[in-house]
Amino acid sequence: MELSKFFITIFIFQALIFSAQSASNNSNLFREYIGAEFNNVKFSDLPIHSGVEFHFILSFAIDYTTSSSSASPTNGKFNIFWDTNNLTPSQVSAIKTKHPNVKVALSLGGDSVGNGFAYFNPSSINSWLSNAVSSLTTIIQDYNLDGIDIDYEHFKSDPNTFAECIGKLISTLKKNGAISFASIAPYDDDQVQSHYMALWKKYGHVIDYVNFQFYAYDKGTSVSQFMDYFTKQSSNYNGGKVLPSFISDGSGGLGPGNGFFTACSKLKSEGNLHGIFVWCADDSKGLGFKYEKLSQSLLAI
């Protein structure tokens, strides 16, 4: 009888440890891209819950010339392509002062620039790295930023070159104290995945978050499909903090009005909700940021 009680006690103890470990994998991190679509959205427009860690991600800084019609690559010399009329250095300082739980990052690359795609197109690893460290450090210091996000989606380089350039960039900026965190934003495309998984394989230890673009899957994705996709990408980026995501206008993936929060609740119950990110504040403005409010309420529980 006493032996049975002993084993029951051990079982309960192990269950409690497992439950605590699962819960510890959950996070209250909320992230949102802002400024790419020039919809006059400001940091102060967004609801910010005091119970979350809130990351704004300025979109985008791109190593291209700023000519609107014939932009060309600049080999790591980054320029600002977000809405600088509404998202200024003083406004970064103001939102961080008002909300101590806010951090601000910038995203590199994006889908397009001018009238074409924004290609990752370095002349060489060393020259691109030198230019990128210099130009980004200036922008980061001018805007008092905290981190960077990597969102290149088109490539004129092989996966290894991408891995070395981006991995060394993140490592150098962290070593220099310019940033405290870094994320990547891949999606389920063969070329994209080959580049980001090469980066993850060699430099995953310096990447803090994986902003996987689950909204790039087909519109009408079901909750069960979403959960399968999440499992697959968590395996691809093994050990990484993969964040579920939605697109504000509901044009792809599992929409916020069609089961996204059900999926997130399931992930949270499993201890796998590492946060939530949204594309993007520019579109959410017209919706009154209702899904941002729901996201943060779920994360803050």
Side-chain angles (χ1 to χ4, degrees):
M1 192 71 170
E2 292 301 321
L3 190 61
S4 296
K5 289 181 180 179
F6 173 76
F7 282 118
I8 290 172
T9 301
I10 292 296
F11 176 79
I12 293 172
F13 181 68
Q14 289 176 331
L16 289 172
I17 290 176
F18 177 78
S19 176
Q21 288 175 335
S22 294
S24 70
N25 290 327
N26 289 325
S27 169
N28 66 345
L29 176 63
F30 178 80
R31 320 187 83 206
E32 183 142 17
Y33 291 85
I34 186 169
E37 298 181 4
F38 291 79
N39 286 351
N40 297 316
V41 66
K42 299 179 176 66
F43 299 122
S44 56
D45 291 336
L46 276 84
I48 299 173
H49 194 298
S50 61
V52 304
E53 180 179 351
F54 195 115
H55 290 184
F56 286 105
I57 306 176
L58 292 164
S59 310
F60 292 95
I62 314 174
D63 52 333
Y64 268 69
T65 59
T66 54
S67 170
S68 60
S69 59
S70 58
S72 58
T74 54
N75 190 39
K77 295 179 181 179
F78 282 87
N79 289 304
I80 293 171
F81 284 84
W82 63 74
D83 182 359
T84 54
N85 288 329
N86 291 290
L87 303 167
T88 65
S90 63
Q91 288 165 335
V92 170
S93 296
I95 199 68
K96 290 170 71 172
T97 298
K98 184 176 181 179
H99 298 280
N101 57 321
V102 165
K103 295 180 180 178
V104 185
L106 61 80
S107 186
L108 309 184
D111 175 59
S112 60
V113 59
N115 296 324
F117 290 136
Y119 285 98
F120 180 74
N121 188 21
S123 298
S124 69
I125 293 172
N126 288 339
S127 64
W128 186 93
L129 178 63
S130 177
N131 290 337
V133 168
S134 177
S135 60
L136 288 173
T137 297
T138 297
I139 296 171
I140 289 165
Q141 291 177 345
D142 286 350
Y143 275 78
N144 187 26
L145 303 179
D146 304 287
I148 64 170
D149 174 69
I150 310 301
D151 189 25
Y152 282 103
E153 301 182 2
H154 308 281
F155 308 90
K156 289 188 176 179
S157 78
D158 60 89
N160 182 66
T161 299
F162 177 72
E164 289 300 321
C165 285
I166 300 300
K168 288 180 177 178
L169 172 65
I170 295 171
S171 299
T172 302
L173 291 176
K174 282 190 169 186
K175 181 180 178 181
N176 293 348
I179 61 171
S180 59
F181 61 83
S183 58
I184 57 174
Y187 61 95
D188 197 7
D189 169 88
D190 287 346
Q191 186 186 42
V192 170
Q193 290 281 61
S194 68
H195 284 73
Y196 281 93
M197 288 173 70
L199 170 61
W200 183 260
K201 183 177 180 180
K202 190 163 185 181
Y203 290 98
H205 61 284
V206 299
I207 297 167
D208 300 280
Y209 313 109
V210 180
N211 284 9
F212 199 85
Q213 298 182 46
F214 288 100
Y215 45 82
Y217 287 109
D218 290 342
K219 182 179 180 179
T221 295
S222 68
V223 171
S224 61
Q225 286 175 319
F226 184 93
M227 297 298 287
D228 288 342
Y229 295 151
F230 186 89
T231 298
K232 177 183 177 181
Q233 301 309 331
S234 295
S235 176
N236 284 339
Y237 298 93
N238 187 35
K241 294 179 180 178
V242 177
L243 274 64
S245 59
F246 66 84
I247 188 167
S248 303
D249 64 8
S251 60
L254 178 61
N258 296 301
F260 175 80
F261 295 109
T262 300
C264 286
S265 295
K266 287 178 178 289
L267 291 174
K268 190 165 188 175
S269 70
E270 297 170 357
N272 290 321
L273 185 60
H274 305 297
I276 293 172
F277 86 87
V278 181
W279 178 273
C280 60
D282 304 57
D283 289 335
S284 293
K285 183 178 180 180
L287 301 172
F289 302 107
K290 61 181 179 180
Y291 296 126
E292 282 76 0
K293 295 173 185 175
L294 287 171
S295 297
Q296 292 177 72
S297 294
L298 174 62
L299 293 168
I301 296 172

PDB file of all heavy atoms in Angstrom, residues 217-230:
ATOM      1  N   TYR A 217       0.063  30.499 -46.726  1.00  0.00           N
ATOM      2  CA  TYR A 217      -0.698  29.320 -47.134  1.00  0.00           C
ATOM      3  C   TYR A 217      -2.044  29.777 -47.705  1.00  0.00           C
ATOM      4  O   TYR A 217      -2.445  30.938 -47.554  1.00  0.00           O
ATOM      5  CB  TYR A 217      -0.919  28.387 -45.944  1.00  0.00           C
ATOM      6  CG  TYR A 217       0.326  27.643 -45.499  1.00  0.00           C
ATOM      7  CD1 TYR A 217       0.960  27.967 -44.298  1.00  0.00           C
ATOM      8  CD2 TYR A 217       0.854  26.611 -46.270  1.00  0.00           C
ATOM      9  CE1 TYR A 217       2.093  27.283 -43.884  1.00  0.00           C
ATOM     10  CE2 TYR A 217       1.983  25.921 -45.858  1.00  0.00           C
ATOM     11  CZ  TYR A 217       2.607  26.256 -44.668  1.00  0.00           C
ATOM     12  OH  TYR A 217       3.729  25.581 -44.275  1.00  0.00           O
ATOM     13  N   ASP A 218      -2.746  28.852 -48.348  1.00  0.00           N
ATOM     14  CA  ASP A 218      -3.995  29.191 -49.017  1.00  0.00           C
ATOM     15  C   ASP A 218      -5.030  29.764 -48.054  1.00  0.00           C
ATOM     16  O   ASP A 218      -5.143  29.327 -46.898  1.00  0.00           O
ATOM     17  CB  ASP A 218      -4.597  27.951 -49.687  1.00  0.00           C
ATOM     18  CG  ASP A 218      -3.787  27.490 -50.887  1.00  0.00           C
ATOM     19  OD1 ASP A 218      -2.982  28.291 -51.407  1.00  0.00           O
ATOM     20  OD2 ASP A 218      -3.955  26.322 -51.292  1.00  0.00           O
ATOM     21  N   LYS A 219      -5.784  30.724 -48.551  1.00  0.00           N
ATOM     22  CA  LYS A 219      -6.928  31.234 -47.798  1.00  0.00           C
ATOM     23  C   LYS A 219      -7.901  30.091 -47.547  1.00  0.00           C
ATOM     24  O   LYS A 219      -8.117  29.246 -48.422  1.00  0.00           O
ATOM     25  CB  LYS A 219      -7.622  32.354 -48.585  1.00  0.00           C
ATOM     26  CG  LYS A 219      -8.796  32.969 -47.855  1.00  0.00           C
ATOM     27  CD  LYS A 219      -9.424  34.086 -48.675  1.00  0.00           C
ATOM     28  CE  LYS A 219     -10.602  34.703 -47.918  1.00  0.00           C
ATOM     29  NZ  LYS A 219     -11.233  35.812 -48.682  1.00  0.00           N
ATOM     30  N   GLY A 220      -8.471  30.065 -46.364  1.00  0.00           N
ATOM     31  CA  GLY A 220      -9.387  28.984 -46.031  1.00  0.00           C
ATOM     32  C   GLY A 220      -8.713  27.834 -45.315  1.00  0.00           C
ATOM     33  O   GLY A 220      -9.333  26.785 -45.092  1.00  0.00           O
ATOM     34  N   THR A 221      -7.448  28.013 -44.947  1.00  0.00           N
ATOM     35  CA  THR A 221      -6.753  27.008 -44.139  1.00  0.00           C
ATOM     36  C   THR A 221      -7.594  26.697 -42.902  1.00  0.00           C
ATOM     37  O   THR A 221      -8.121  27.604 -42.253  1.00  0.00           O
ATOM     38  CB  THR A 221      -5.372  27.542 -43.700  1.00  0.00           C
ATOM     39  OG1 THR A 221      -4.554  27.717 -44.861  1.00  0.00           O
ATOM     40  CG2 THR A 221      -4.682  26.583 -42.756  1.00  0.00           C
ATOM     41  N   SER A 222      -7.727  25.409 -42.584  1.00  0.00           N
ATOM     42  CA  SER A 222      -8.495  25.003 -41.406  1.00  0.00           C
ATOM     43  C   SER A 222      -7.609  24.997 -40.174  1.00  0.00           C
ATOM     44  O   SER A 222      -6.380  25.061 -40.277  1.00  0.00           O
ATOM     45  CB  SER A 222      -9.090  23.617 -41.616  1.00  0.00           C
ATOM     46  OG  SER A 222      -8.052  22.638 -41.652  1.00  0.00           O
ATOM     47  N   VAL A 223      -8.234  24.887 -39.003  1.00  0.00           N
ATOM     48  CA  VAL A 223      -7.470  24.829 -37.757  1.00  0.00           C
ATOM     49  C   VAL A 223      -6.559  23.607 -37.754  1.00  0.00           C
ATOM     50  O   VAL A 223      -5.385  23.693 -37.381  1.00  0.00           O
ATOM     51  CB  VAL A 223      -8.416  24.809 -36.535  1.00  0.00           C
ATOM     52  CG1 VAL A 223      -7.632  24.528 -35.251  1.00  0.00           C
ATOM     53  CG2 VAL A 223      -9.168  26.129 -36.428  1.00  0.00           C
ATOM     54  N   SER A 224      -7.066  22.464 -38.172  1.00  0.00           N
ATOM     55  CA  SER A 224      -6.245  21.242 -38.171  1.00  0.00           C
ATOM     56  C   SER A 224      -5.090  21.358 -39.155  1.00  0.00           C
ATOM     57  O   SER A 224      -3.973  20.908 -38.868  1.00  0.00           O
ATOM     58  CB  SER A 224      -7.105  20.013 -38.495  1.00  0.00           C
ATOM     59  OG  SER A 224      -7.686  20.119 -39.786  1.00  0.00           O
ATOM     60  N   GLN A 225      -5.326  21.960 -40.320  1.00  0.00           N
ATOM     61  CA  GLN A 225      -4.238  22.177 -41.280  1.00  0.00           C
ATOM     62  C   GLN A 225      -3.191  23.120 -40.693  1.00  0.00           C
ATOM     63  O   GLN A 225      -1.994  22.878 -40.827  1.00  0.00           O
ATOM     64  CB  GLN A 225      -4.793  22.768 -42.580  1.00  0.00           C
ATOM     65  CG  GLN A 225      -5.555  21.790 -43.442  1.00  0.00           C
ATOM     66  CD  GLN A 225      -6.185  22.466 -44.643  1.00  0.00           C
ATOM     67  OE1 GLN A 225      -6.736  23.581 -44.546  1.00  0.00           O
ATOM     68  NE2 GLN A 225      -6.129  21.822 -45.798  1.00  0.00           N
ATOM     69  N   PHE A 226      -3.663  24.176 -40.053  1.00  0.00           N
ATOM     70  CA  PHE A 226      -2.745  25.130 -39.431  1.00  0.00           C
ATOM     71  C   PHE A 226      -1.864  24.432 -38.398  1.00  0.00           C
ATOM     72  O   PHE A 226      -0.647  24.673 -38.348  1.00  0.00           O
ATOM     73  CB  PHE A 226      -3.526  26.271 -38.776  1.00  0.00           C
ATOM     74  CG  PHE A 226      -2.657  27.350 -38.181  1.00  0.00           C
ATOM     75  CD1 PHE A 226      -2.327  28.472 -38.922  1.00  0.00           C
ATOM     76  CD2 PHE A 226      -2.158  27.238 -36.891  1.00  0.00           C
ATOM     77  CE1 PHE A 226      -1.519  29.474 -38.386  1.00  0.00           C
ATOM     78  CE2 PHE A 226      -1.350  28.222 -36.347  1.00  0.00           C
ATOM     79  CZ  PHE A 226      -1.029  29.343 -37.098  1.00  0.00           C
ATOM     80  N   MET A 227      -2.457  23.590 -37.586  1.00  0.00           N
ATOM     81  CA  MET A 227      -1.690  22.889 -36.561  1.00  0.00           C
ATOM     82  C   MET A 227      -0.646  21.981 -37.198  1.00  0.00           C
ATOM     83  O   MET A 227       0.483  21.878 -36.702  1.00  0.00           O
ATOM     84  CB  MET A 227      -2.629  22.083 -35.659  1.00  0.00           C
ATOM     85  CG  MET A 227      -3.632  22.928 -34.879  1.00  0.00           C
ATOM     86  SD  MET A 227      -2.883  24.099 -33.729  1.00  0.00           S
ATOM     87  CE  MET A 227      -2.309  22.978 -32.445  1.00  0.00           C
ATOM     88  N   ASP A 228      -0.998  21.352 -38.315  1.00  0.00           N
ATOM     89  CA  ASP A 228      -0.037  20.514 -39.037  1.00  0.00           C
ATOM     90  C   ASP A 228       1.100  21.369 -39.608  1.00  0.00           C
ATOM     91  O   ASP A 228       2.274  20.980 -39.546  1.00  0.00           O
ATOM     92  CB  ASP A 228      -0.735  19.753 -40.173  1.00  0.00           C
ATOM     93  CG  ASP A 228      -1.630  18.633 -39.672  1.00  0.00           C
ATOM     94  OD1 ASP A 228      -1.462  18.219 -38.500  1.00  0.00           O
ATOM     95  OD2 ASP A 228      -2.500  18.190 -40.447  1.00  0.00           O
ATOM     96  N   TYR A 229       0.748  22.513 -40.184  1.00  0.00           N
ATOM     97  CA  TYR A 229       1.772  23.414 -40.718  1.00  0.00           C
ATOM     98  C   TYR A 229       2.716  23.880 -39.608  1.00  0.00           C
ATOM     99  O   TYR A 229       3.932  23.961 -39.800  1.00  0.00           O
ATOM    100  CB  TYR A 229       1.125  24.646 -41.365  1.00  0.00           C
ATOM    101  CG  TYR A 229       0.284  24.375 -42.593  1.00  0.00           C
ATOM    102  CD1 TYR A 229      -0.801  25.208 -42.904  1.00  0.00           C
ATOM    103  CD2 TYR A 229       0.566  23.313 -43.449  1.00  0.00           C
ATOM    104  CE1 TYR A 229      -1.570  24.982 -44.027  1.00  0.00           C
ATOM    105  CE2 TYR A 229      -0.212  23.078 -44.578  1.00  0.00           C
ATOM    106  CZ  TYR A 229      -1.284  23.918 -44.865  1.00  0.00           C
ATOM    107  OH  TYR A 229      -2.048  23.695 -45.976  1.00  0.00           O
ATOM    108  N   PHE A 230       2.138  24.186 -38.460  1.00  0.00           N
ATOM    109  CA  PHE A 230       2.958  24.656 -37.340  1.00  0.00           C
ATOM    110  C   PHE A 230       3.930  23.570 -36.896  1.00  0.00           C
ATOM    111  O   PHE A 230       5.111  23.850 -36.641  1.00  0.00           O
ATOM    112  CB  PHE A 230       2.071  25.089 -36.169  1.00  0.00           C
ATOM    113  CG  PHE A 230       2.835  25.707 -35.031  1.00  0.00           C
ATOM    114  CD1 PHE A 230       3.081  27.068 -35.014  1.00  0.00           C
ATOM    115  CD2 PHE A 230       3.323  24.927 -33.987  1.00  0.00           C
ATOM    116  CE1 PHE A 230       3.801  27.650 -33.975  1.00  0.00           C
ATOM    117  CE2 PHE A 230       4.040  25.498 -32.949  1.00  0.00           C
ATOM    118  CZ  PHE A 230       4.282  26.862 -32.940  1.00  0.00           C
TER     119      PHE A 230
END
